[in-house]
Amino acid sequence: MSEREIRVAIAGFGTVGQAVIRLLREEASRYREEIGVPLRLAVVLDRSIRRKDTRLLDSSVVMTDSLDQFFQTPADIVVELIGGHEPADSIITAGLQQGKAVVTANKLLLAQHARRYFQLARDHNAYLGFEAAVAGGIPILRVLRRALFADRIVRLRGILNGTCNFILSEMSQSGRDFQDVLKEAQARGYAEADPWLDISGRDTTDKLSILSLLAFGKTSQPEKIPTLGIQAISFVDFLYANKLDYTIKLLGVAQRNGDEITLRVSPFLTHRRLPLAAIGGALNAVEVTGNKLGSAMFTGRGAGGDPTAVSVVADILNAALWKQEAAPFYLQPVFHRDSAESPDTADPATTESTEVYPFFLRFFVKDRTGIIAEVASILARHQININSLWQEPWPDLSNLPFVITIEPTLFSTMQRALAELSQLEFNRVPPLALPMLNE
């Protein structure tokens, strides 16, 4: 085996694909020494390969826009970096069915089909590496699958989207509003021309689903995870959050409550003494709490070509060792059980009733008498207790903000009250309720 080479096929010649190829070239001699065999790039698939600068590729590399030619080119490790549904799913599925090592950064497909992929890997003695699918260069999946496997994870919460973290950090520091900072994020390359997946929270939801599966061994379809994006956040929210000694972060939270796992993606008011509150800019962070370990924080660059390439190439190197039977492929025990023994997470309609948080409740209203009395009356009917009321002087009485903080309340109770509060005629925009983290 030490005399042969290991052939690598890469689907996707974009930012990450090119960064992976550069890293494989730059560190080729070191990688050969470490794993005992040379890695050779055999084929690159890209739908627009003919329009791209391919000087990075050696003349021996097959460059193609044909899926058939990609499949027909002999390879030991298949790396899927195209993203989206197809042909990514076909590439991953075919590679696993052929007993190959497959490496992917596709969070969308893993969130939806992780169980199927792991079953294919088991059935066909294949390898599946997906470290780059969550938090880019932070090796959080490897930590959950190996380093923390001995402990019982009770909670995960994290900043899983660098675009949203950049926007919220800039809003907090500059006092600018959402749309203005979003344009800057797009100009800097932190946000796509169509930023919906990021700002809606759906990207975070996909990543939370993967993290939860590895931490708790239970499947949750991303579309069933309650998700609130950051579009409704205003600079006013930061004005009041700062006065309360909080900041605002978009978090994915997965928590064990007995035999039940609750998952949620939402902007959270996060107390400044908490480590997550200090994670600024486009960084990602994941806080893992174990029954014995307590809390541990993992942070770093969660996107971009180079950080993501580090995770992808780490999987390629592990796959190369696996091909030589020098390293095992770590399958969680849950993936060896029948699905009946490891049920999906319960429906959110039943699980959200166990979540209890204090809340930050923000209004923009047409000023008139009796507003506070009407709000208090609705909250009282739902047996929700007010903690404090905040109203700063404001020049525009036709669009007047104020904030009420709420004592710890069931999430479901708060949502029912919010639906009723949204019907009040003095609202200029729907009121916003954000959960608060202070421990």
Side-chain angles (χ1 to χ4, degrees):
M1 178 66 74
S2 62
E3 297 299 319
R4 62 160 292 188
E5 62 186 8
I6 290 183
R7 301 158 297 183
V8 179
I10 294 181
F13 193 61
T15 300
V16 175
Q18 292 180 38
V20 167
I21 293 168
R22 279 194 297 270
L23 187 54
L24 288 172
R25 289 187 60 172
E26 291 169 4
E27 301 290 344
S29 60
R30 183 168 68 88
Y31 294 159
R32 179 174 184 166
E33 182 178 343
E34 292 290 339
I35 65 176
V37 294
L39 296 169
R40 180 174 70 83
L41 183 59
V43 58
V44 172
L45 168 71
D46 193 279
R47 286 164 287 195
S48 56
I49 193 74
R50 300 177 194 279
R51 300 194 301 272
K52 292 188 174 180
D53 183 352
T54 58
R55 287 176 292 180
L56 178 65
L57 304 175
D58 293 335
S59 58
S60 62
V61 178
V62 176
M63 294 174 281
T64 184
D65 57 7
S66 165
L67 193 59
D68 288 339
Q69 188 175 15
F70 180 78
F71 284 142
Q72 290 165 8
T73 304
D76 304 293
I77 301 173
V78 176
V79 183
E80 184 280 305
L81 300 173
I82 289 179
H85 286 278
E86 286 293 348
D89 181 57
S90 295
I91 291 168
I92 295 169
T93 300
L96 295 174
Q97 288 175 337
Q98 292 167 20
K100 295 181 178 181
V102 176
V103 174
T104 180
N106 197 318
K107 57 187 173 289
L108 177 68
L109 288 181
L110 283 164
Q112 296 177 347
H113 304 303
R115 277 193 180 280
R116 176 165 65 86
Y117 293 152
F118 269 88
Q119 189 62 48
L120 285 172
R122 180 188 177 197
D123 291 346
H124 299 279
N125 191 30
Y127 175 102
L128 178 62
F130 52 97
E131 184 61 57
V134 177
I138 306 172
I140 186 62
L141 302 185
R142 191 166 283 109
V143 166
L144 291 174
R145 295 166 74 189
R146 302 184 191 182
L148 297 184
F149 182 61
D151 202 359
R152 183 177 176 85
I153 305 301
V154 296
R155 186 180 67 207
L156 283 167
R157 57 191 187 193
I159 297 167
L160 304 176
N161 185 277
T163 298
C164 291
N165 201 47
F166 172 80
I167 291 172
L168 294 174
S169 297
E170 284 294 308
M171 289 177 68
S172 176
Q173 294 168 12
S174 68
R176 290 181 291 158
D177 221 333
F178 173 78
Q179 289 296 336
D180 185 28
V181 178
L182 173 59
K183 290 177 183 176
E184 180 182 343
Q186 290 170 320
R188 290 196 186 193
Y190 292 144
E192 302 288 343
D194 180 0
W196 182 84
L197 277 175
D198 294 320
I199 64 176
S200 68
R202 298 314 307 181
D203 175 79
T204 298
T205 300
D206 287 339
K207 295 170 181 175
L208 181 66
S209 176
I210 298 167
L211 286 172
S212 176
L213 178 57
L214 294 181
F216 304 116
K218 293 189 177 183
T219 304
S220 181
Q221 290 300 312
E223 61 271 15
K224 294 183 178 180
I225 298 175
T227 300
L228 178 66
I230 65 171
Q231 304 96 312
I233 301 296
S234 164
F235 76 94
V236 167
D237 300 318
F238 285 99
L239 174 74
Y240 284 98
N242 287 335
K243 290 182 178 297
L244 293 163
D245 205 22
Y246 285 73
T247 189
I248 301 172
K249 297 293 181 183
L250 181 71
L251 301 180
V253 178
Q255 184 145 344
R256 186 192 299 273
N257 297 296
D259 293 331
E260 192 176 84
I261 308 299
T262 60
L263 302 110
R264 182 170 299 280
V265 172
S266 173
F268 280 76
L269 257 72
T270 307
H271 199 281
R272 291 195 180 278
R273 69 169 172 267
L274 299 180
L276 284 170
I279 306 302
L283 293 177
N284 280 195
V286 181
E287 181 188 63
V288 183
T289 302
N291 192 40
K292 302 297 185 183
L293 171 73
S295 292
M297 177 87 95
F298 304 86
T299 184
R301 294 167 64 189
D306 288 340
T308 305
V310 170
S311 290
V312 171
V313 173
D315 276 337
I316 292 172
L317 296 175
N318 279 304
L321 291 171
W322 170 81
K323 290 289 293 183
Q324 301 173 86
E325 300 182 349
F329 171 42
Y330 288 85
L331 276 169
Q332 300 292 82
V334 65
F335 297 116
H336 292 288
R337 304 179 194 142
D338 294 331
S339 59
E341 296 180 46
S342 183
D344 290 353
T345 52
D347 188 277
T350 61
T351 64
E352 67 180 6
S353 62
T354 66
E355 298 174 90
V356 176
Y357 291 101
F359 281 88
F360 170 95
L361 186 57
R362 183 261 291 155
F363 296 84
F364 276 100
V365 301
K366 295 178 288 186
D367 193 28
R368 63 166 175 76
T369 60
I371 288 177
I372 300 300
E374 289 185 52
V375 170
S377 175
I378 291 173
L379 294 176
R381 282 204 300 275
H382 291 272
Q383 297 185 314
I384 295 173
N385 295 327
I386 293 174
N387 179 270
S388 64
L389 172 66
W390 297 75
Q391 182 175 341
E392 294 294 308
W394 200 256
D396 184 3
L397 297 182
S398 66
N399 195 31
L400 178 69
F402 70 92
V403 164
I404 294 174
T405 61
I406 302 297
E407 293 183 3
T409 299
L410 288 170
F411 213 111
S412 54
T413 302
M414 189 71 246
Q415 292 304 107
R416 287 192 292 271
L418 186 65
E420 193 171 338
L421 291 167
S422 298
Q423 302 303 311
L424 296 173
E425 57 83 21
F426 50 70
N427 288 309
R428 296 304 305 266
V429 297
L432 177 69
L434 301 180
M436 302 172 72
L437 288 182
N438 50 32
E439 61 180 3

